[in-house]
Amino acid sequence: MEVNLGEIPFGVDFHPSNPLVAVALITGDLQLYRYNSNDSSLQRLLDVNAHSESCRSVRFINGGQAVATGSKDCSILATDVETGATIARLENAHENAIYRLTNLTESTIASGDDEGCIKVWDTRQRSCCNSFNAHEDYVSDMAFVSGSMKLLGTSGDGTLSVCNLWSNKVQTRSEFSEEELTSVVVMKNDRKVICGSQSGTLLIYSWGFFKDCSDRFVDLSPNSVEVLLKLDEDRIITGSENGLISLIGILPNRIIQPIAEHSDYPIEGLAFSHDRKFLGSISHDQLLKLWDLDDILQGSTNNQNVQAEIADGDSDGMDVDNNNPPQSKKRTKVKNASSSNNFFADL
């Protein structure tokens, strides 16, 4: 099923328990839809003018009671799912345009901006918990590892960062890659970190060895891998700049099969519905598409070769090193590390 959003979407997220999907639009609008698998319909419930500039990211928060959106206008907005009313707004959540929001727990989210700053917010206490000057370019994606309280970030500066939420420090950062890193997922029971890149190469890092990747998968090149979505501990779904959605196996590394083609335009976002019945995709063709996951994955099991996991000799049990982040070849940008303390303060 699909619906024309009328504008280019930048973000998509599904409700954690109900058949609802939210999209963030270039116009600054937030739209909310109810989907019905019985008649393959999408019904628009809300269309909220959330921000004065483009709405770049969207996430359901507080158990699905609200939707958080981040914008180029540097603000974060909380919108009530039932009524569409503004719950609260933080006008200056970041000093620079917000690029990405990521859920950590039911009541905490992380935000990353165009200049490499990452912040963690408690949505119930309405406060900023952590602030990291993690990168020197936009924060393209983030992934949370709850067992070690580490927040991983990728950036246009070509690095992967590891932020320690306990110590409130950037614990380590990878060497600079020649291409922008666009996305990140954690797999193999938290032992491997996979990063997408602008060149289409997947960079594979072993946990505890973040200075340089331990493996590279180049079969998706030269098309930029815009989005990574973890299917299970051995497989990811990729969204590329050519509009192709593919199922990829990790260690052993292989393209299992292309599973969908959204359009000829870059994939801007991928997300699973709460019951994993649907895969949602958005692109510059202004369409939100919901794919039946069982249908598009049909045959992938038969195509999957049964191979022993490749051992790379890394000691995966090691924790991240405590070396200082590398010095960039780029001009160092000084950022204000002070946090805003009134997140979701009542209007």
Side-chain angles (χ1 to χ4, degrees), residues 201-235:
T201 299
L202 298 183
L203 282 64
I204 303 174
Y205 293 84
S206 293
W207 189 265
F209 297 86
F210 291 106
K211 289 302 179 183
D212 197 6
C213 61
S214 59
D215 200 1
R216 292 172 180 262
F217 180 62
V218 300
D219 290 8
L220 294 170
S221 299
N223 294 297
S224 173
V225 175
E226 302 293 326
V227 187
L228 295 178
L229 186 63
K230 178 180 174 180
L231 180 61
D232 52 38
E233 297 300 330
D234 301 308
R235 297 176 295 171

Side-chain angles (χ1 to χ4, degrees), residues 14-76:
F14 283 88
H15 192 277
S17 58
N18 294 324
L20 302 174
V21 58
V23 288
L25 302 182
I26 191 174
T27 55
D29 290 353
L30 163 69
Q31 292 185 356
L32 182 68
Y33 292 85
R34 181 183 301 277
Y35 56 91
N36 189 327
S37 57
N38 294 325
D39 60 5
S40 298
S41 65
L42 280 158
Q43 176 190 5
R44 189 166 71 186
L45 303 179
L46 295 175
D47 189 354
V48 178
N49 185 226
H51 298 277
S52 60
E53 297 188 64
S54 61
C55 188
R56 292 175 164 183
S57 194
V58 58
R59 288 292 184 271
F60 283 95
I61 58 172
N62 296 347
Q65 298 178 36
V67 183
T69 50
S71 171
K72 185 180 178 182
D73 65 13
C74 304
S75 72
I76 296 176

Side-chain angles (χ1 to χ4, degrees), residues 57-288:
S57 194
V58 58
R59 288 292 184 271
F60 283 95
I61 58 172
N62 296 347
Q65 298 178 36
V67 183
T69 50
S71 171
K72 185 180 178 182
D73 65 13
C74 304
S75 72
I76 296 176
L77 174 72
T79 300
D80 186 274
V81 168
E82 293 291 333
T83 66
T86 295
I87 297 174
R89 183 192 300 270
L90 182 63
E91 289 292 352
N92 297 299
H94 284 253
E95 293 181 0
N96 299 284
I98 296 170
Y99 193 89
R100 181 72 65 187
L101 296 177
T102 298
N103 294 96
L104 306 190
T105 67
E106 185 176 294
S107 60
T108 54
I109 61 170
S111 56
D113 69 26
D114 275 1
E115 294 296 316
C117 180
I118 294 174
K119 293 186 178 184
V120 177
W121 308 91
D122 187 320
T123 61
R124 291 179 176 173
Q125 295 298 321
R126 303 177 178 183
S127 62
C128 180
C129 310
N130 307 87
S131 184
F132 307 95
N133 292 324
H135 296 281
E136 298 181 4
D137 206 333
Y138 72 98
V139 178
S140 57
D141 200 9
M142 292 172 285
F144 179 56
V145 182
S146 58
S148 59
M149 291 296 286
K150 304 293 196 305
L151 179 61
L152 309 183
T154 51
S155 172
D157 66 13
T159 66
L160 167 70
S161 66
V162 181
C163 299
N164 189 320
L165 301 192
W166 280 325
S167 66
N168 196 33
K169 294 180 179 179
V170 180
Q171 190 157 336
T172 191
R173 200 168 73 182
S174 71
E175 299 294 339
F176 287 89
S177 172
E178 293 183 357
E179 60 257 351
E180 298 179 10
L181 300 187
T182 58
S183 45
V184 59
V185 294
V186 182
M187 300 180 64
K188 300 291 183 178
N189 300 307
D190 297 344
R191 292 186 294 112
K192 298 292 179 180
V193 177
I194 319 300
C195 297
S197 72
Q198 196 173 48
S199 69
T201 299
L202 298 183
L203 282 64
I204 303 174
Y205 293 84
S206 293
W207 189 265
F209 297 86
F210 291 106
K211 289 302 179 183
D212 197 6
C213 61
S214 59
D215 200 1
R216 292 172 180 262
F217 180 62
V218 300
D219 290 8
L220 294 170
S221 299
N223 294 297
S224 173
V225 175
E226 302 293 326
V227 187
L228 295 178
L229 186 63
K230 178 180 174 180
L231 180 61
D232 52 38
E233 297 300 330
D234 301 308
R235 297 176 295 171
I236 55 176
I237 295 175
T238 63
S240 298
E241 67 174 342
N242 60 357
L244 196 63
I245 303 171
S246 301
L247 182 64
I248 308 297
I250 298 296
L251 295 175
N253 304 328
R254 66 224 180 273
I255 298 177
I256 298 174
Q257 66 183 53
I259 56 176
E261 186 174 4
H262 184 108
S263 68
D264 293 331
Y265 298 100
I267 301 294
E268 280 290 341
L270 296 171
F272 291 126
S273 62
H274 69 92
D275 54 4
R276 289 211 167 193
K277 181 174 177 57
F278 294 105
L279 170 69
S281 64
I282 54 172
S283 181
H284 292 187
D285 63 353
Q286 303 183 12
L287 295 179
L288 165 66

